[in-house]
Amino acid sequence: MRSKAIHRNLNQQFPIAVRGDGPYIILDDGTRYLDASGGAAVSCLGHSYTPVIEAIQRQLSKLPYVHSSFFSTEPLEELAELLVAMSPPSFNSAYFVSGGSEAVEAAIMMARQFHLQSGRPNRRHIIGRKNSYHGMTMGALTVGDTHVRRQPYAPMLVDTIHVSPCFPYHGQRDGEALNDYTIRVADELEKAIQQCEPDSIAAFIAETVIGSNGGAVPPTPGYFKRVCEICDRHDIVLILDEVFCGTGRTGTMFAFEHEGITPDIAVIAKGLGAGYQPIGALVAADRIMEPIRRGAGALAHGHTYSGHAAACAGATAVLTAIRENNLFSRVTTQGAKLMAGLRDRFDDHPNVGDIRGTGLLQAVEFVKNRSTREPFDPSLRLHALLKTTTLANGLMCYPQGGTIDGVRGDHITLAPPFIIEDEHITEILDKLEQAIDDVFSELNIR
């Protein structure tokens, strides 16, 4: 019987998941899947972490909801204190919404309001990066550049400038030194600013580590330092989208900590709630918040479920677990083991072009020709075949097409829970290797 629910694929009958067991998801027929992607880099504590469940239950038994225009709640205040304490010193304000797309929208609006309250009403344009993904709301689609997702709504989106991402595997020229590439790609931002109407740029938004679209692409050394210099020189708000890569996924609370920089606004979501309740957040620097406090004295936007009490209680329990169990360090340790295993298994594979990532956010990119880095024909839908085959082997990963430009390229992203043990890493590698062998054998490529 056809489901009455509107699923992502209207012509697919989805299996019914009924239970979680650490890093595993269990179906109604008892089938177990090792979740090596955390869903979509969400389930950082696995699917049955009791302290988070109990924190949400306690809050629901006391007070499930109040509207933020009437009252604050203890969980909201506690989460804000904890998140700020785990953030760089310049961040003293946190705002909570229901997910990553809403958090990105809030960051864009906050950047605009900052300029308005600072006497710069002409600052209205946002610069993003090519083939980036920031969410599925209209504003997030506008600043992002996901070809397939944007295409149906293109006539409805505001024109946005997009510069090249920092993606050396596909962007670095033959014979070009890495530092020269870094300067060249960062300076695209400067050129884009100069080509616009003077003093019209409000913000630049980028994923610190490129997430689902490109597949776990860390920035080159010095890239974001140069970006910061450019933004500071032109008084442009720097928004770093860490919905995918933040909240410990790279071994630090924020991925930008590895770069030695601090943005004006940072956006997190997925790992903040760890899948137990929908929640997203932004943290803002004092330089952004003070003009708004002195001016309007209120944000020019809001949501019904902003700062939801049960979601905040759950997120506080998530952050507490990450900090008290030293999971940042564990991400680094287990991530190194996963990377070593991927390289051992696939470095010599004729169709594996690149293995990359940081912490427990890693990816394998597949190519038709390793020497030229030529991708497979998109019509082959290699990523979809890999997803089907890994699932058949009892493994969940995050395959994606359009790695290079939104159309061409295939990769698999791995973002397993921070709690994975060594035996789970071995299981991931064994099942992924079998799936890759099966797919390429079926396609008669190997």
Side-chain angles (χ1 to χ4, degrees):
M1 190 173 81
R2 178 178 293 176
S3 171
K4 300 302 186 293
I6 300 176
H7 291 288
R8 285 180 177 239
N9 187 326
L10 300 180
N11 298 310
Q12 180 178 337
Q13 188 72 28
F14 285 86
I16 303 297
V18 296
R19 190 162 63 87
D21 178 20
Y24 293 92
I25 288 179
I26 304 167
L27 301 190
D28 54 359
D29 64 1
T31 305
R32 294 169 67 90
Y33 293 90
L34 176 55
D35 187 357
S37 62
V42 173
S43 302
C44 59
L45 298 179
H47 299 283
S48 56
Y49 195 78
T50 303
V52 178
I53 296 169
E54 291 177 343
I56 295 167
Q57 289 173 334
R58 283 194 301 272
Q59 182 57 40
L60 287 174
S61 69
K62 293 192 295 184
L63 178 67
Y65 170 78
V66 296
H67 195 279
S68 58
S69 68
F70 292 93
F71 306 106
S72 185
T73 62
E74 291 175 345
L76 171 59
E77 298 297 336
E78 185 179 2
L79 178 57
E81 288 284 345
L82 180 55
L83 180 53
V84 166
M86 296 176 70
S87 301
S90 62
F91 289 143
N92 283 302
S93 303
Y95 180 64
F96 302 103
V97 290
S98 297
S101 296
E102 280 188 9
V104 167
E105 296 270 341
I108 295 166
M109 291 177 176
M110 185 174 284
R112 168 63 176 167
Q113 190 174 359
F114 159 72
H115 287 297
L116 285 173
Q117 302 297 300
S118 301
R120 294 186 290 269
N122 197 44
R123 299 276 185 148
R124 61 195 185 278
H125 295 307
I126 309 292
I127 298 178
R129 297 197 301 186
K130 296 174 183 175
N131 203 31
S132 58
Y133 179 63
H134 297 293
M136 281 301 296
T137 52
M138 296 298 277
L141 279 174
T142 289
V143 298
D145 183 43
T146 306
H147 176 76
V148 173
R149 293 185 176 102
R150 282 173 56 97
Q151 192 173 29
Y153 314 105
M156 305 167 69
L157 302 178
V158 177
D159 288 337
T160 304
I161 304 156
H162 294 100
V163 298
S164 295
C166 186
F167 195 166
Y169 183 67
H170 290 293
Q172 189 174 0
R173 297 166 180 164
D174 291 342
E176 184 178 33
L178 186 62
N179 186 59
D180 292 338
Y181 166 74
T182 299
I183 294 171
R184 176 170 63 81
V185 73
D187 282 355
E188 278 196 33
L189 175 58
E190 178 72 46
K191 292 177 181 177
I193 294 166
Q194 297 298 339
Q195 290 171 0
C196 292
E197 179 185 346
D199 299 326
S200 67
I201 307 299
F204 173 61
I205 185 169
E207 300 160 278
T208 313
V209 177
I210 298 172
S212 58
N213 273 16
V217 185
T220 58
Y223 169 79
F224 274 113
K225 284 188 175 180
R226 195 168 184 90
V227 164
C228 275
E229 292 169 0
I230 294 169
C231 289
D232 287 347
R233 188 163 61 250
H234 294 280
D235 203 10
I236 291 169
V237 175
L238 175 59
I239 303 169
L240 289 186
D241 178 351
E242 301 215 350
V243 168
F244 211 88
C245 64
T247 327
R249 178 58 60 184
T250 66
T252 52
M253 180 62 192
F254 297 95
F256 63 72
E257 294 178 61
H258 298 289
E259 309 309 312
I261 59 104
T262 304
D264 296 302
I265 301 172
V267 178
I268 57 174
K270 297 177 183 291
L272 178 61
Y276 291 88
Q277 285 279 279
I279 191 168
L282 66 79
V283 284
D286 290 341
R287 96 169 188 98
I288 301 298
M289 293 305 302
E290 286 309 312
I292 298 175
R293 284 196 181 95
R294 292 194 306 267
L299 295 182
H301 64 278
H303 299 275
T304 299
Y305 284 100
S306 295
H308 187 273
C312 288
T316 297
V318 170
L319 292 184
T320 300
I322 290 173
R323 188 164 68 169
E324 292 185 351
N325 293 292
N326 199 24
L327 293 187
F328 292 146
S329 176
R330 183 174 180 79
V331 166
T332 300
T333 301
Q334 297 303 92
K337 292 176 182 178
L338 178 59
M339 178 59 73
L342 289 172
R343 294 199 180 283
D344 180 63
R345 303 283 184 114
F346 305 118
D347 254 349
D348 295 327
H349 192 290
N351 298 112
V352 170
D354 194 29
I355 301 170
R356 54 180 176 260
T358 179
L360 283 173
L361 179 57
Q362 301 181 18
V364 179
E365 182 174 344
F366 301 93
V367 293
K368 185 176 181 180
N369 186 306
R370 281 172 65 118
S371 298
T372 63
R373 304 179 183 178
E374 178 190 357
F376 286 97
D377 187 328
S379 66
L380 190 62
R381 291 184 56 78
L382 177 63
H383 60 283
L385 293 173
L386 287 164
K387 181 178 181 180
T388 302
T389 309
T390 52
L391 276 173
N393 287 352
L395 181 70
M396 295 167 60
C397 55
Y398 203 73
Q400 189 87 351
T403 313
I404 303 169
D405 54 12
V407 178
R408 299 175 302 135
D410 300 272
H411 68 268
I412 279 178
T413 299
L414 300 174
F418 302 169
I419 60 169
I420 58 165
E421 304 288 349
D422 291 358
E423 59 263 31
H424 299 133
I425 292 176
T426 300
E427 184 178 349
I428 290 169
L429 295 169
D430 287 346
K431 290 183 173 180
L432 182 58
E433 184 174 27
Q434 184 62 58
I436 290 172
D437 285 347
D438 290 347
V439 167
F440 284 101
S441 175
E442 179 185 339
L443 295 174
N444 199 27
I445 292 174
R446 291 190 70 180

